[in-house]
Amino acid sequence: MHGARGGAKRPALPQFTQMTLVLEAVLVFFATLVAFGLRVAPPVTVWTIGGVTMLVLLLLSGYVGRPGGYVAGSAAQLAVLAFGVLVPMMFVIGGLFVVLWVVSLRLGARIDRERAAYDAAHPGEVPPAA
C-alpha cells in the first residue's frame, strides 16, 4: 500500500496511540504548571512527578508497536489518572484521555484490518485517495 508520495503507509494503530501519548505528555505539562501554581506540594516534588510522567509518556510514544508497548501505554494511563491527587480536575481530563486511548487502540486496529483486507482483495492496486 502506498501513500500520496509513493511510500508505504504507516499502520494506523501506532500513529493513533503515539499521538495520544504525546498529547498526554503536553496535558501533564500543563497540569504540572497548575499544581506548581496552586502549591499543592513542594516545587521539587511537583516538577519531579510531572517531569518523570512527561518523560515516560514521550518515551512510550516511541515504544508503541513493539512487544509490550501497548500494555505499557495502557499502564501509563494510570499515572495520568493518578495526577488527579495533585490536581483533582485531572481525574476528569485524565479519564477523557483514557477513553481516547481505548478509542485509539480500537480504531487504529480496525483501520489496519480494513487496509489489510483491501490489499488482499486488490493486490497491486493503489487505493483511492482519501
Side-chain angles (χ1 to χ4, degrees), residues 32 35-50 83 86:
T32 302
F36 175 74
L38 293 175
R39 301 171 199 246
V40 298
V44 172
T45 303
V46 169
W47 286 106
T48 300
I49 292 170
F83 222 85
L86 296 176

Side-chain angles (χ1 to χ4, degrees), residues 10-29:
R10 289 183 56 212
L13 181 58
Q15 283 184 1
F16 287 6
T17 53
Q18 285 172 342
M19 188 50 61
T20 300
L21 291 170
V22 169
L23 289 173
E24 276 184 302
V26 172
L27 169 72
V28 169
F29 172 72

Side-chain angles (χ1 to χ4, degrees), residues 91-106:
F91 287 126
V92 174
I93 298 170
L96 291 174
F97 268 91
V98 169
V99 170
L100 184 59
W101 176 255
V102 171
V103 168
S104 296
L105 288 171
R106 295 189 65 173

Side-chain angles (χ1 to χ4, degrees), residues 1-5 9 111 115 118 126-130:
M1 178 169 284
H2 299 284
R5 296 184 184 196
K9 281 192 176 182
I111 289 171
R115 280 182 182 168
Y118 181 90
V126 176

Side-chain angles (χ1 to χ4, degrees), residues 62-82:
Y63 188 66
V64 295
R66 295 187 178 131
Y70 297 114
V71 173
S74 297
Q77 303 310 306
L78 297 175
V80 174
L81 281 175

